[in-house]
Amino acid sequence: MLTRSALIYLSRHEGLKDFATRFSFFKKLTTRFVAGETIDEAVNFIREINAENCTASFDHLNESVSSAAEAEKEVVEYLEILNKIEETKIRSNVSIKLTQFGLGLDPELAYRNARRVVEEAHRHGNFTRVDMEDSHVTQVTIDIFKRLRSEFGLNDVGIVLQSYLHRTYADAQELVKLPARIRICKGAYNEPPEVAFPTKKDVDENYIKVMQLLLASGHYHGIATHDPRMIEATINFSAREGISKDKFEFQMLYGIRRDLQRQLARDGYNMRVYVPYGKHWYPYFMRRLAERPANIWFVLKNLFKG
Ligand SMILES: Cc1cc2nc3c(=O)[nH]c(=O)nc-3n(C[C@H](O)[C@H](O)[C@H](O)COP(=O)(O)OP(=O)(O)OC[C@H]3O[C@@H](n4cnc5c(N)ncnc54)[C@H](O)[C@@H]3O)c2cc1C
């Protein structure tokens, strides 16, 4: 049986990535977690969920770019997304990854590229969320976010923290003071025990601690999880502390627990769905398999259904 860490290891395998994305045969695997290859396909899906009272966050898949030219294409894609959101009047913001804008080549380049997207989003009255990647880039991601936050408003740009990291509670304490809008999630990468809690129990406990800190801060944060226990803890804490439903949002990924997404929206909670699209689906897709290796059977069944 493939383990979580083996799947995450494979997600970084450049040869497999090229192989998988080159053959259209594999494309149908992705529909479980990816909304399509084009902006228009993602827009069609977002229209559907908007009609069910869910908002969205657009994500163009392409992390760890290997040239400044590729990073430039990513910026252009995001500028187009922002125009499209305005033109189609869908309710969606955008999520970006700094390695998509050249972080691995030069942090200054990533900052300048991210800044262009945040500035354009600001011009449109929209919001940019900086996703969090693996722990090698946690500090530089926070540093770039702080620079952006010093130049733009609370409602222009936000960041993500991961409850599996030991450092996250302290980061959350520091960032809420800016203030900053934070998405808390558990974390999707392979991390060593020196930096991350190895057991689910500790990751979950830390998640609840950070969620409580965020909600008590009085600013608008994103509680990103499909875990019914984390959701229940959030609902109970907010009810106990008199924090109304419009003061935070739940967030889930495209294709995961759509039933729960609909239910929370029907119950009057703000619900945002993260909508990834694009041709470079391989690492994202493999992380989704790693979170729940039972997904492999679902995927294989579909592949051979013809
Ligand atoms: C909106 C959003 C944005 C995110 N952004 C980031 C980010 O910037 N950086 C980052 O490192 N991680 C990010 N993640 C991923 C996150 O860190 C987790 O890896 C992922 O959400 C699984 O954790 P969980 O909270 O759902 O709990 P888990 O304990 O992993 O899962 C709880 C339950 O949810 C369901 N579930 C979870 N994952 C899957 C899956 N792949 N397929 C089917 N069912 C599943 C299962 O029923 C499972 O029992 C994001 C997640 C969300 C929802």
Side-chain angles (χ1 to χ4, degrees):
M1 186 60 175
L2 280 172
T3 61
R4 177 176 185 276
S5 42
L7 286 163
I8 292 184
Y9 171 79
L10 291 176
S11 77
R12 298 185 173 284
H13 199 290
E14 287 300 314
L16 279 176
K17 175 173 147 184
D18 286 349
F19 179 78
T21 39
R22 194 139 15 103
F23 293 100
S24 55
F25 172 70
F26 289 105
K27 219 172 71 183
K28 67 177 180 176
L29 292 180
T30 65
T31 54
R32 167 83 168 84
F33 297 117
V34 176
E37 285 204 348
T38 63
I39 296 184
D40 286 338
E41 283 171 282
V43 166
N44 287 341
F45 174 73
I46 293 172
R47 277 206 180 96
E48 272 177 42
I49 59 167
N50 280 174
E52 293 170 354
N53 258 337
C54 297
T55 54
S57 193
F58 246 105
D59 169 49
H60 183 240
L61 296 166
N62 194 10
E63 51 205 80
S64 308
V65 301
S66 52
S67 70
E70 210 185 334
E72 177 62 27
K73 278 195 194 150
E74 292 303 309
V75 176
V76 171
E77 182 82 15
Y78 270 94
L79 301 182
E80 199 181 327
I81 293 171
L82 286 161
N83 278 324
K84 198 61 154 201
I85 293 173
E86 180 150 313
E87 188 189 304
T88 56
K89 310 225 173 332
I90 53 172
R91 286 182 292 138
S92 180
N93 62 28
V94 293
S95 289
I96 60 173
K97 287 187 171 53
L98 293 181
T99 65
Q100 174 169 38
F101 290 150
L103 186 63
L105 306 166
D106 172 12
E108 208 45 39
L109 173 71
Y111 157 72
R112 284 198 307 273
N113 283 337
R115 193 186 187 289
R116 287 163 64 198
V117 173
V118 176
E119 190 168 39
E120 181 72 0
H122 168 78
R123 218 173 54 75
H124 287 276
N126 209 330
F127 176 79
T128 306
R129 175 82 62 185
V130 182
D131 283 353
M132 188 56 81
E133 301 176 71
D134 72 54
S135 63
H136 297 104
V137 296
T138 307
Q139 190 57 53
V140 66
T141 301
I142 291 177
D143 292 343
I144 290 177
F145 166 71
K146 280 184 178 163
R147 261 174 99 180
L148 292 167
R149 179 64 189 86
S150 70
E151 296 172 275
F152 295 92
L154 176 65
N155 292 324
D156 292 324
V157 61
I159 192 167
V160 179
L161 294 176
Q162 300 150 320
S163 74
Y164 64 15
L165 295 185
H166 297 307
R167 58 177 287 166
T168 287
Y169 190 77
D171 286 335
Q173 280 178 313
E174 189 198 336
L175 288 167
V176 289
K177 284 192 201 131
L178 284 179
R181 281 174 57 179
I182 296 168
R183 170 199 299 152
I184 182 66
C185 65
K186 290 192 187 179
Y189 300 82
N190 242 356
E191 300 293 357
E194 298 79 58
V195 298
F197 297 106
T199 66
K200 176 171 162 57
K201 181 175 165 287
D202 289 338
V203 175
D204 288 359
E205 266 175 35
N206 201 36
Y207 190 100
I208 292 175
K209 260 176 69 185
V210 177
M211 172 275 287
Q212 294 182 345
L213 172 79
L214 298 185
L215 293 199
S217 75
H219 297 290
Y220 189 85
H221 301 288
I223 309 301
T225 183
H226 317 92
D227 186 339
R229 288 182 46 249
M230 300 302 106
I231 291 167
E232 199 189 328
T234 306
I235 291 174
N236 291 343
F237 180 76
S238 56
R240 201 167 65 232
E241 298 297 314
I243 298 163
S244 58
K245 290 176 178 174
D246 59 337
K247 293 285 189 275
F248 64 95
E249 64 186 29
F250 286 113
Q251 300 183 350
M252 292 190 205
L253 300 176
Y254 171 90
I256 303 181
R257 295 302 311 264
R258 184 102 190 259
D259 56 334
L260 196 50
Q261 297 173 12
R262 289 190 175 114
Q263 187 57 53
L264 287 166
R266 275 198 300 265
D267 291 346
Y269 290 97
N270 290 337
M271 179 74 238
R272 187 176 300 277
V273 182
Y274 186 96
V275 182
Y277 79 96
K279 290 190 172 66
H280 302 280
W281 47 265
Y282 180 76
Y284 177 89
F285 175 76
M286 293 299 279
R287 287 198 297 275
R288 302 293 78 82
L289 292 190
E291 279 154 4
R292 195 161 173 261
N295 285 334
I296 294 173
W297 297 114
F298 176 91
V299 160
L300 288 177
K301 229 171 38 200
N302 274 3
L303 187 62
F304 294 108
K305 245 197 312 211

